Amino acid sequence: MKEFDLIRLLVSNVPTNRAVRVGPGDDCAVLDLGVPEKEFLFKTDAVVEGIHFVREAGAEAIGRKALARCLSDIAAMAGTPIAALVTLAMPENCAPSFIEAIYAGMELLAKQHDVAIAGGETVRNPERLILSISLLGSVSRGQAVLRSGAGEGDAIFVTGELGGSIDGHHLSFEPRLEEARWLAENFRPSAMLDLSDGLAGDLRHLLAPGRLGAEILASALPIRKAARIRSKEGRTDKSPLIAALTDGEDYELLFTQKPGKAVALLDRWKEVFPRTPLSCVGKIRKASGLLIRDKSGVRELKDYGYDHFAKS
Amino acid sequence: MKEFDLIRLLVSNVPTNRAVRVGPGDDCAVLDLGVPEKEFLFKTDAVVEGIHFVREAGAEAIGRKALARCLSDIAAMAGTPIAALVTLAMPENCAPSFIEAIYAGMELLAKQHDVAIAGGETVRNPERLILSISLLGSVSRGQAVLRSGAGEGDAIFVTGELGGSIDGHHLSFEPRLEEARWLAENFRPSAMLDLSDGLAGDLRHLLAPGRLGAEILASALPIRKAARIRSKEGRTDKSPLIAALTDGEDYELLFTQKPGKAVALLDRWKEVFPRTPLSCVGKIRKASGLLIRDKSGVRELKDYGYDHFAKS
């Protein structure tokens, strides 16, 4: 059973109540806590030693990554983070100085985004280190951008670059909080998420199963230089294109937009975020399936999603 | 390094912001999210296979326990739970049916307390199962009962019974949510927490270090029958008294109250919660240290706290 199947099974009938506006299945839950102008975002994310990081990455980078992933999920809803809780499940061979440095990496990023570390807990996990972070954020009422909402003909956009994240980006990426809020206020996306499993895998979350599909223009994909170098040097058997589609851990925004606004958005974006690429990489189609168009024609891409759960 | 020392080190200088009214160190963080009549409680808690549970306990009981521990922390602040996020770190040898049953146990308890399961995540932890739950709750503004606040001469109370929890109570306990809210509204405690590490260990959290101490009257301790039976049958080398003071996992409320209100509280409690014992077990002293008074006199109890982190 793959991760998505298990999650679908688990959350199919969970208890809800009137505080929950959006439950499991989006980047964050959306809660109505009785503030007239705001709703709240609630998210948890864990990184596991040997799966999401190795200790050689350095304690500060590990701590930073754990929090940055959660912040990226808040960004995916166009929200603002408020407070985090930190759970450390750790073996006895973690020196206190290593744990302190994990906290230092986390705290530096937290301060940059005015996120409080409001509590947490430490437990023993004898075999490997796990960092689990829960985050509470806020979003202007009605402004949370959900994964649902993409329509036929919508243009598909991604921020930044894709592929080859393993060469460093997965530790140093900047959560797109400011960009996402600007989008929600100025060019509200019809749907949005943050890319963690690769464009090909994550696109599925924006497509109503069996009803919508997507066509990606290969030449429009913003392929990261690292993906090209890794391919050239034989450090991966993926082509740069397949790496950009499937490597995962991009932590960029993937969103859709009514086609009529696409050009205006690209123009304004360049003025507001001159250092961050924004690429229109394709469009939503009525028929299901993910098509890749390149100079040799159109072909369908199947089963290319990165499955965190299936990797070890 | 013991758990408490490490936590003290980690949280000594964490980032905060204006949303945080109470940060690390109490049963929950207290957040001000801009609701005039309410504040919010934020808590995370994890249980680890082989440390806090064994699979033989049964999946439903494990799921129930994971959530119940978090609810007990909300109770310790006199709050009401709203929504939970569930993180499962699991080995491949966990059958989907086992995980489903964990969820079933959690969901049954969640429904009893109108708690939504708003999301979560699954990750791989190859060697053992970990359940981590984050909970958001609310409390009437200014009514959260903190760990600080006990004063010299205050009477010390515990709900329920203590000791021998391992014989079943740790899986079946009822979080004292209703009792705690009633206390806060009718006989506001000067300080309160939920007992997880044993009375002797947890009392320290109510005592300003070096400034206050406590005296416990041995004959007043509500010793659980299981603690007596375990001692009688030689299944523990602790006396029933020491078991009640140090076994841990009682998940009862420990609170202090101005001495003048003690008798009235005991009388009213019996009417409102006739099935739940409430015991006045001692008093706060000005000198530091934990004294036990029994028929043979007064002696000091040292280093008896259960340390989750040091156990395996």
Side-chain angles (χ1 to χ4, degrees), chain B residues 198-215:
Chain B
L199 178 61
D202 282 331
L203 248 178
R204 287 180 298 180
H205 300 303
L206 297 190
L207 306 172
R211 202 175 60 78
L212 291 176
E215 179 176 317

Side-chain angles (χ1 to χ4, degrees), chain B residues 54 69 223 225 227 233 244 274 307:
Chain B
V54 293
R69 281 166 56 101
I223 301 175
K225 198 173 174 186
E233 293 179 352
D307 187 336

